[in-house]
Amino acid sequence: MTTNKGKLSAARWVRLIPVIFITYSLAYLDRANYGFGAAAGMAKDLGITSSVSSLLGALFFLGYFFFQVPGAHYAENKSAKKLIFWALILWGGLASAIGFVNNITALIVIRFMLGVVESAVMPAMLVFLSHWFTKKERSRANTFLILGNPVTVLWMSILSGYLVNSLGWRWMFIVEGSPAVVWAFFWWKLVDDRPSEAKWLTADEKKAIAEQMREEQTGLKPVKNYSEAFKSKTVIKLSLQYFFWSLGLYGFVMWLPSIIKAAPNMSIVSTGWLSSVPYILAVAGMLVASFLSDRTLNRKVFVWPFLLVGAVAFYASYAIGTEHFWLSFVLLVLAGGAMYAPYGPFFAIIPEILPRNVAGGAMALINSMGALGSFAGSYLVGYLNGVTGGFGASYLCMAGASAAVGGADDDGEREREG
C-alpha cells in the first residue's frame, strides 16, 4: 500500500498541479490587468473620473460575490471540470471585449459580468483539490493553485507594461484575454473530476486515495446542511477575517501600478518591472508557509503572524512617505509578500473541521466574503487616492485592514474537537 500511495502522489502532482496552476493564472490575469489599463490612458480615452475608475476596478468583485456557493455546490455534486470549462471560455471572451469598449456603460457591464463568471472558479478549484489531495498535502495543493495569483501578477506586470507601451491599452486586454478561451480545451482534455474517473490511475491507486479520503471524514462531526455549517462560529470568524484580509490585499494589487507610476520620472515599463517585485517574495513565502503547515499540520501559526507583518509594513511605508520612495517601496514589497504567504494554510482549515457535504459551500462563503472585501479594498483605495490627491490615506486603510485580521486567531481546533 505504501508504494501505491507514493506512486499515486507523484502521478497526481505531476498531472494535475500544472493544469490547475495555469488555469487559475489565466483567471487572475484577466481580473488584475485593469490596474494597468487605468494607469495607461484608458481613463483619459473613455472620460473616466477618478471616482468612477475606482468603482470600475471594484465592480469585478461585486459580481464575484454572487455565485460562490452555487458554484461550490455544483462542483461538489455535479462537475467542477464542466463548470470551469465554460467559465474559461466566457471570462476569456469578456476580458478581450474590454479592448473594444467605447463608453463607460459597456465597461461597467463587462467588469461586473467578468466577476460573475469567475465567481465559481475559486470554490470549484478548492472542491476539485479536496477530491484529489489528502489532509497532509492540502495546504501545498491549495498553495500551488493560489500561486497562480502572485506569479501571474509578476509576469503580467512586465508583459502589460510592454504591451501598453507598444500597442496601447486596448490591445493589452485583447491579447491577454484570448489564452483563456484556447486553454479551456486543454483543461477539458487533461483533468477528471475524481480519481475514480481517471484512466491514468491504476485500480490500486484509486483504492488507496479513496480509503484515505474516507478515513479523513470519519473523525468529523456530522453537519446536516449549509445552513448549519454557515452558523459555525469558525466559519463566521474566518469569513470576517477573510473580508478584511482581502480589503487590504486587493487595494494593494489593483492600485500598486498607480502608486509606483506617481513616482518622479517613472515610465510605464519601469512601473511594470517594479510592480512585479512584491510577487517574487509572495511566491517564496507561500511555498515556505504551506510546506511547514503541512509538515506540522498547524494552520493558524502560518496565517495570522504573516498578516500582522503586512500591517506593520504598510504603516511603516506610509510613515516614511513618498519623499523616500525606495525605502517606502521596499516596505510595500514586504507587505505584499507577507499578505500572500498564508493562503494555502488558510484554505486548508475548513476541510479539516467540516465534512465533505458542506465543506465546499463553507469555503465558498468565506471566499465570497473575501470578494466583498476585495470590492471594498479596490474601491476605497482608489477613492482615497482620488479625493486626497496622494496615497497616504490608502496606505493607512490597507494597514488597518491587515491589522484587523492579523490580530485575530481561529478556534478551528476547538470546534473540531467539540
Side-chain angles (χ1 to χ4, degrees):
M1 185 68 69
T2 302
T3 303
N4 286 335
K5 286 181 181 179
K7 289 181 179 177
L8 176 58
S9 178
R12 287 173 298 150
W13 290 99
V14 173
R15 172 90 180 201
L16 297 176
I17 290 300
V19 179
I20 290 289
F21 174 81
I22 292 171
T23 304
Y24 196 63
S25 291
L26 293 174
Y28 207 80
L29 168 66
D30 290 336
R31 77 178 67 166
N33 58 4
Y34 176 81
F36 269 91
M42 181 168 65
K44 181 180 178 181
D45 291 349
L46 298 181
I48 302 171
T49 64
S50 60
S51 60
V52 173
S53 182
S54 300
L55 178 62
L56 284 165
L59 264 177
F60 170 91
F61 299 105
L62 190 60
Y64 194 69
F65 169 77
F66 285 103
F67 294 100
Q68 299 268 335
V69 175
H73 182 79
Y74 185 90
E76 182 64 60
N77 295 283
K78 299 290 186 179
S79 172
K81 174 180 177 177
K82 185 180 295 184
L83 181 64
I84 293 169
F85 171 78
W86 287 110
L88 277 159
I89 292 174
L90 290 171
W91 94 55
L94 286 166
S96 291
I98 294 175
F100 297 97
V101 299
N102 290 304
N103 60 76
I104 298 174
T105 302
L107 189 55
I108 287 173
V109 172
I110 291 172
R111 284 291 296 177
F112 180 78
M113 289 306 301
L114 187 63
V116 170
V117 170
E118 287 198 24
S119 64
V121 175
M122 178 67 167
M125 287 289 200
L126 290 169
V127 168
F128 179 86
L129 289 173
S130 73
H131 292 163
W132 282 93
F133 295 94
T134 65
K135 178 179 177 179
K136 292 183 178 180
E137 304 165 319
R138 203 162 286 138
S139 180
R140 282 170 291 157
N142 290 344
T143 291
F144 279 111
L145 163 66
I146 302 167
L147 270 176
N149 176 323
V151 171
T152 299
V153 179
L154 194 160
W155 62 260
M156 179 210 71
S157 299
I158 298 169
L159 175 64
S160 296
Y162 280 108
L163 285 174
V164 166
N165 190 58
S166 302
L167 303 173
W169 64 267
R170 291 185 180 277
W171 275 104
M172 180 199 74
F173 284 112
I174 295 168
V175 170
E176 292 182 350
S178 302
V181 178
V182 177
W183 182 251
F185 298 93
F186 287 91
W187 164 267
W188 186 259
K189 182 71 174 176
L190 293 172
V191 305
D192 301 283
D193 275 304
R194 291 170 173 81
S196 60
E197 301 169 6
K199 296 178 181 179
W200 45 274
L201 292 177
T202 67
D204 285 343
E205 288 172 331
K206 294 176 184 179
K207 182 180 178 182
I209 191 169
E211 288 176 352
Q212 291 177 67
M213 295 297 184
R214 278 195 299 270
E215 184 179 337
E216 288 180 12
Q217 294 294 302
T218 57
L220 299 178
K221 179 183 176 181
V223 178
K224 290 185 295 185
N225 51 40
Y226 286 152
S227 177
E228 184 178 332
F230 294 171
K231 294 174 184 176
S232 158
K233 190 181 296 184
T234 300
V235 172
I236 293 170
K237 194 170 187 178
L238 292 175
S239 296
L240 291 173
Q241 289 166 346
Y242 198 44
F243 172 89
F244 287 107
W245 180 1
S246 298
L247 191 157
L249 179 65
Y250 278 90
F252 175 85
V253 170
M254 291 298 294
W255 297 104
L256 181 64
S258 295
I259 291 171
I260 294 174
K261 183 68 170 62
N265 304 315
M266 187 68 64
S267 71
I268 190 66
V269 173
S270 297
T271 298
W273 277 99
L274 289 176
S275 296
S276 72
V277 176
Y279 303 102
I280 298 173
L281 181 61
V283 170
M286 289 175 74
L287 291 172
V288 171
S290 65
F291 174 79
L292 294 175
S293 175
D294 275 347
R295 185 161 186 168
T296 62
L297 292 182
N298 189 328
R299 306 305 184 193
K300 61 185 180 181
V301 75
F302 296 103
V303 178
W304 322 124
F306 279 103
L307 297 176
L308 277 175
V309 169
V312 171
F314 271 132
Y315 181 78
S317 182
Y318 155 77
I320 288 170
T322 53
E323 61 270 21
H324 302 289
F325 172 78
W326 289 109
L327 183 55
S328 177
F329 174 72
V330 168
L331 287 165
L332 279 180
V333 170
L334 178 61
M339 291 184 71
Y340 270 104
Y343 267 112
F346 181 82
F347 279 106
I349 293 171
I350 287 297
E352 295 176 6
I353 64 172
L354 292 177
R356 183 175 297 282
N357 65 306
V358 294
M363 288 189 290
L365 177 67
I366 292 166
N367 201 49
S368 68
M369 290 302 294
L372 282 184
S374 301
F375 172 82
S378 300
Y379 181 76
L380 277 175
V381 171
Y383 176 79
L384 290 171
N385 292 345
V387 298
T388 64
F391 300 106
S394 59
Y395 280 29
L396 287 177
C397 174
M398 292 185 283
S402 302
V405 63
D409 199 352
D410 101 280
D411 52 359
E413 278 78 8
R414 284 196 296 273
E415 182 160 328
R416 181 174 56 227
E417 291 166 1

